[in-house]
Amino acid sequence: MKKILIGFAAIMLSGCMSGHYEWDKTAMEHNKLNFIGIPSVLGLGFSGSSTPITDNMSLTNNHVAKILLKETVKSHDKCDLAIIPQNNKGEKLPTLNYAKIGDDVTFYGYSGFTLMPVSSTGKILAFQKRNGCMVMETSAGGVAGMSGGSVFNNKGELIGIIFGLNLHNNRTMIIPVQSFMTELPITIQDDIKNKNKIY
C-alpha cells in the first residue's frame, strides 16, 4: 500500500504541469497513450505517454511505468526513466541526438485529463541535477499525462523525454538523451556518437 501511495504522489507531483500547450493530432505520430483504470477528467484513471524508439521498445518515465503496471526492459538507477516493451511496428521511429542549452524544442504527449494528443514549444534554458541525474529546464508548457512524452529539436531529432515540473520556478523538465545514453540499444548509441564525432 505504501508503494502505491508513493507512486500516486509521484504522478500527482510530476503531473502538475503548466504553461501553454494545445491540442495537436501530430502528437499521435510521436507517442503512445498508456493508462490504467477509467481515464477521465475526474481522475478515475492514470495515464502517461511513451515514446517509441525501436520496433519493440519505447521510452517513458519510471513513475509512469510503475503506476501503470508496465513491464520494463531496463530502468535507469538515478534518472526517472524506463524502457518498456511495446509493439511499435509500422510507427515512424525517430533518430536521437544530444540536447543542448538554447535548443528550440517541441513537446508531444497526451493530456491525462482529456486523453487528447497535445504539444507545446519552448527552449532549453538550463541544466539541473536531480537525485544524481542531469535534467534540463525548459520554457515549454505541459499538462499531467505528458510525462514520458517526446522532446524534439528543430531538426526533428528526439533529444529527451518529458519528466515533470520544477515546483520552485514552474518550468517543465526533461531528461536529455545524454543522461540515459548507456541504457539505449547499441545501434542507437553508435548513431548518436557518429553524429557528434569531431573530424
Side-chain angles (χ1 to χ4, degrees), residues 63-81:
H63 72 261
V64 171
K66 283 179 184 172
I67 200 76
L68 301 180
L69 309 177
K70 295 284 182 187
E71 177 191 348
T72 59
V73 175
K74 280 186 179 181
S75 60
H76 195 284
D77 63 342
K78 291 190 169 91
C79 298
D80 185 9
L81 177 114

Side-chain angles (χ1 to χ4, degrees), residues 28-50:
M28 293 187 289
E29 297 170 17
H30 305 291
N31 295 272
K32 291 197 168 184
L33 173 66
N34 303 274
F35 62 84
I36 187 170
I38 306 164
S40 73
V41 176
L42 298 176
L44 299 176
F46 298 103
S47 69
S49 302
S50 59

Side-chain angles (χ1 to χ4, degrees), residues 2 19 45 65-66 73 82 98 106 124 137 140-141 152-153 155 167 192:
K2 185 178 178 184
K66 283 179 184 172
V73 175
Y98 297 133
T106 302
I124 296 178
E137 294 184 349
F152 283 88
N153 63 16
K155 294 179 184 173
L167 298 175
I192 295 168

Side-chain angles (χ1 to χ4, degrees), residues 9-185:
I11 285 284
M12 291 298 101
L13 287 174
S14 61
C16 296
M17 298 178 97
S18 65
H20 178 76
Y21 60 91
E22 55 192 37
W23 177 82
D24 183 351
K25 70 177 182 180
T26 62
M28 293 187 289
E29 297 170 17
H30 305 291
N31 295 272
K32 291 197 168 184
L33 173 66
N34 303 274
F35 62 84
I36 187 170
I38 306 164
S40 73
V41 176
L42 298 176
L44 299 176
F46 298 103
S47 69
S49 302
S50 59
T51 301
I53 55 167
T54 71
D55 283 345
N56 55 17
M57 287 188 286
S58 293
L59 298 171
T60 192
N61 296 121
N62 259 326
H63 72 261
V64 171
K66 283 179 184 172
I67 200 76
L68 301 180
L69 309 177
K70 295 284 182 187
E71 177 191 348
T72 59
V73 175
K74 280 186 179 181
S75 60
H76 195 284
D77 63 342
K78 291 190 169 91
C79 298
D80 185 9
L81 177 114
I83 297 177
I84 59 171
Q86 201 159 47
N87 182 1
N88 298 320
K89 288 196 187 337
E91 301 283 340
K92 181 180 174 184
L93 298 174
T95 60
L96 283 73
N97 208 344
Y98 297 133
K100 300 172 191 71
I101 290 179
D103 277 351
D104 292 315
V105 293
T106 302
F107 285 6
Y108 294 105
Y110 285 88
S111 165
F113 300 111
T114 64
L115 302 189
M116 298 296 284
V118 291
S119 70
S120 65
T121 57
K123 196 174 276 288
I124 296 178
L125 303 172
F127 288 105
Q128 186 187 108
K129 210 156 196 182
R130 276 215 176 168
N131 303 320
C133 178
M134 196 234 346
V135 296
M136 292 174 150
E137 294 184 349
T138 80
S139 60
V143 65
M146 286 180 82
S147 290
S150 53
V151 180
F152 283 88
N153 63 16
N154 59 10
K155 294 179 184 173
E157 298 169 316
L158 180 70
I159 58 171
I161 63 164
I162 303 164
F163 164 59
L165 179 70
N166 182 337
L167 298 175
H168 299 294
N169 58 18
N170 224 28
R171 289 179 179 166
T172 50
M173 311 285 290
I174 69 167
I175 305 172
V177 163
Q178 53 265 46
S179 287
F180 55 85
M181 176 89 161
T182 56
E183 310 302 320
L184 296 169

Side-chain angles (χ1 to χ4, degrees), residues 1-9 67:
M1 185 65 175
K2 185 178 178 184
K3 285 184 180 178
I4 292 172
L5 290 174
I6 290 168
F8 177 80
I67 200 76

